[in-house]
Amino acid sequence: MTIRAFFRTTAILCLLLVNTLFSSTLIAQNLGQLDQITVYGPSLEGNLSKDNPERNVLVYLPPGYNADSEKQFPVVYLLHGYTDTERNWFGLDRQHFVNVPNAVDAAWRAGAGEMIIVMPNAYTRFKGSMYSNSVTTGDWESYIAKDLVAYIDANYRTIPERASRGLAGHSMGGYGTMRIGMKYPDVFAALYAMSPCCMGANMTPSQEQFANALATQNDEQLSQADFGTSAMLASAAVWSPNPDNPPFYVDLPYKDGELQTDVVARWVANAPLVMLHQYIPQLKSFEDVLIDAGDSDVGIAATVVEMSAILNAYGVAHRSEIYEGNHVSGIHERITSNLMPMFTEVLVSQ
């Protein structure tokens, strides 16, 4: 090839690449098509944190979506964890412990059914929404189960029925999966909570746990706070909001050195291990419920075991597993080997 021919060929390839990037977003060497969209949430309007109700959402469409313009597909709504984002999970910003398109593609190559994967951005002023309902952060339960589902059904070729929708998530997203699933069993047919955080209730928290959170007084300090401090404030924002207590509009379990038992009670009421006793009929209605965690995921593995025991006592059909690993080590592989096969089996497809 001459130098002139080389440059001509290179120019043509660059033009093709540009055309690809400006049409629909394709992930290099992946089977599916990635749509980067925004979905407005009326449920998030007026939140005191002033987080934008217009949320970024990633939608991963299966290979058959464009191949057959008439075919409809089941949908799995996937929820990311605390301090995380949907872009991290899809490999758009940096190397991460999971790459959803790669994990899903591996499952498709192994024979998993085609489905649409949807992940919203739930990063907030407090670095995470906890997928809960609060005047401080907005009603994230309704945003996921109502606003987001309605938008996806209206704008994509879904099968707009409960039997064809699944809900899954990791860590904070696993907590959100159990919380939203129990409250909206009419929307989702199956649940998969991976390493779900915040399941248990602490009725006697120590003041030391909240020392840094109590000392955090503005957004600059909040942005620089460590994980534990931020998590305490994020939890307060959704489980003990106070519209009369700026700048964060939260109440913490300690004030002036005294334990606030009413605040503690509100936190306890939001723990799935406490909540689930009120939602047994709803939990029995699911086609499948799967909860798991790594054996070295300190604290979380124990709550998975405890939840499984409670569900067994009530006769709720489910699956639970404690596998070898930590909080993040097995998530990529479990999307391929557990999540996709599970929803392939239980979600109704065409």
Side-chain angles (χ1 to χ4, degrees), residues 181-199:
M182 287 189 288
K183 294 191 174 188
Y184 290 94
D186 57 323
V187 178
F188 305 101
L191 309 176
Y192 181 13
M194 298 180 283
S195 308
C197 81
C198 319
M199 300 256 279

Side-chain angles (χ1 to χ4, degrees), residues 48-49 125-126 134 136-137 213 232-252 263 266:
L48 298 177
S49 297
R125 179 190 189 188
F126 296 95
S134 160
T136 300
T137 57
M232 291 297 180
L233 288 165
S235 299
V238 296
W239 301 333
S240 53
N242 182 350
D244 296 322
N245 191 20
F248 296 139
Y249 303 103
V250 308
D251 284 334
L252 287 164
V263 175
R266 292 159 71 185

Side-chain angles (χ1 to χ4, degrees), residues 39-55 132-143 147:
V39 178
Y40 188 83
S43 300
L44 303 179
E45 290 178 350
N47 69 83
L48 298 177
S49 297
K50 300 189 184 319
D51 284 317
N52 193 346
E54 188 86 25
R55 308 304 301 185
S132 299
N133 178 4
S134 160
V135 296
T136 300
T137 57
D139 184 355
W140 276 88
E141 297 169 1
S142 294
Y143 177 76
D147 302 344

Side-chain angles (χ1 to χ4, degrees), residues 170-187:
H170 170 252
S171 193
M172 177 183 80
Y175 169 85
T177 295
M178 297 308 302
R179 180 188 185 98
I180 295 171
M182 287 189 288
K183 294 191 174 188
Y184 290 94
D186 57 323
V187 178

